[in-house]
Amino acid sequence: MRDERLADGWDVNAGAWIQWTRRGLDSYSSHKVAFLPLIPPPGRLTVDVGAGEGRVSRELRARGHRVLAIDRSPTMTRSAATHPDVPVPAVVADAVSLPLPDAVADCAVAFMCLHDMDDVVPAIREVGRILVDGGRFVIAIAHPLSSAGRFDQDTTDENPPFVIRDSYTAPRHFTTVRTREDLSMTYHGIHRPLQTYTDALTAAGFVIEQLREHSAEDPTNKWSRIPSFLHLVCRSGAGTAVHVDV
């Protein structure tokens, strides 16, 4: 049994994450170009689940959405609510127990957080509870292929092979430390096969409308060969034929 929950690891590193994101040291600036257009037009309420320091919430608010940011980390939530330029309404809550009544939102977003949650199945079910019938749940996760393996670091090949040394199908926790400029950031996550997410979505009454794999556009970048991110657009309310746009 592990010593700490994933959420605890993220809360410990919240201060570093806030600096990391606000200095643009991750891939968000390019990633959002593919993700944000998948989000439907503003409705009565959009809930940003696992909102972190609020960057997606700020983007949505600029596009006219009435947004509520929710995150388990008090530090992250406070940072979202007190942003110097675009503060957003934000509350501290666990994704498995959202502080909202049934069928109150017409859109929910989970950007790069489901693979950082210990209890992803009940979290997805809880999102289904707060959405109206026909509401959209728009998701970005680390692509399960990318989290299953890594490019071989024991070769001098300029085009190294991507190697999965452990099981793709078995969930496993990982910790990744990245250093850029004068900052160090520790990522805590869990690799899960794609079926874990699709089964949880189906069980929660979602229909998958779009599934897109996002890779680096630069053909000289090795990550153009392996998708880094997976985007899903899901509709609440089963009973309609599934259409998958790959």
Side-chain angles (χ1 to χ4, degrees), residues 139-151:
I139 300 166
I141 58 172
H143 197 292
L145 181 60
S146 71
S147 64
R150 63 190 302 180
F151 286 99

Side-chain angles (χ1 to χ4, degrees), residues 49-105:
V49 180
E53 57 77 52
R55 58 186 178 179
V56 173
S57 291
R58 293 191 293 275
E59 297 271 8
L60 293 174
R61 192 163 189 186
R63 289 162 170 76
H65 288 254
R66 177 177 174 240
V67 182
L68 178 64
I70 297 178
D71 200 275
R72 187 179 181 275
S73 166
T75 303
M76 297 276 202
T77 306
R78 187 180 311 112
S79 182
T82 60
H83 189 276
D85 298 321
V86 188
V88 294
V91 296
V92 178
D94 196 305
V96 303
S97 183
L98 299 174
L100 292 166
D102 295 353
V104 71

